[in-house]
Amino acid sequence: MLTIRKGADRGVSDFGWLDSRHTFSFGDYVDPKHHQFRTLRVINDDRVAPGGGFPTHPHRDMEILTCVLSGQLEHRDSMGNGEVIHAGEWQVMTAGTGVTHSEFNPSDTEPVHLLQIWLFPDRRGHTPGYGQRLFTDAEKAGTWRLVASPDAADGALPIHQDARVYQTKLAAGQAVAHELRPGRAAFVHVATGAATVNGHKLVAGDAAAVEEETTVTVTGDETAEVLLFDLK
């Protein structure tokens, strides 16, 4: 079974410096039909204007992933981390017992395009943590690159949840497949470009929830970046 979530139907927040599209309920956008998918709680597709950013704010008991698609994002937090996340890099932050952080676009001229992703943790009260890694285009070309997992396998970023997050970069006509174990499901998000997921054509911002299937096949209709969440 495959359920399409069209990008054009997502929630919208526009603050001038921020243009954000919400796949699931977030902030003032509340949609009981699209509140979460299994342990995946948030996918926000954010574009931050030059010099704009999120002032210091708190989080707790959430696994927070940031994927920068273009531009760069400056991060500072109460754990003492102060990093710039560049295009192609992922960041993970375990909010756990509580953290505060801020995120800004340090460029005076270039916007930053990022995905902010939240997963529920496997329990409350984890010690806060931070990680960051570049996943090159070569690592993602025509294959599923594991970027986050509970065991941090193959250099993936660690998360406290039985979920595995993959990213691929496809050329037109290039295809990748992912096998789903019994009882597991996938959420596929097209970040850029256009792709066909199990026969359904999607464009940037579209997503598909896949349940009761054994295989997820994604084919690039044009150059595309696609994320896949393998969830219990």
Side-chain angles (χ1 to χ4, degrees), residues 179-201:
E179 303 298 320
L180 284 173
R181 299 199 310 272
R184 295 189 71 88
F187 195 85
V188 182
H189 177 86
V190 179
T192 64
T196 296
V197 178
N198 284 13
H200 295 262
K201 292 186 177 296

Side-chain angles (χ1 to χ4, degrees), residues 77-100:
D77 64 43
S78 55
M79 295 177 282
N81 299 295
E83 306 288 344
V84 175
I85 314 164
H86 300 89
E89 286 188 302
W90 283 72
Q91 174 206 73
V92 64
M93 189 171 66
T94 292
T97 55
V99 297
T100 59

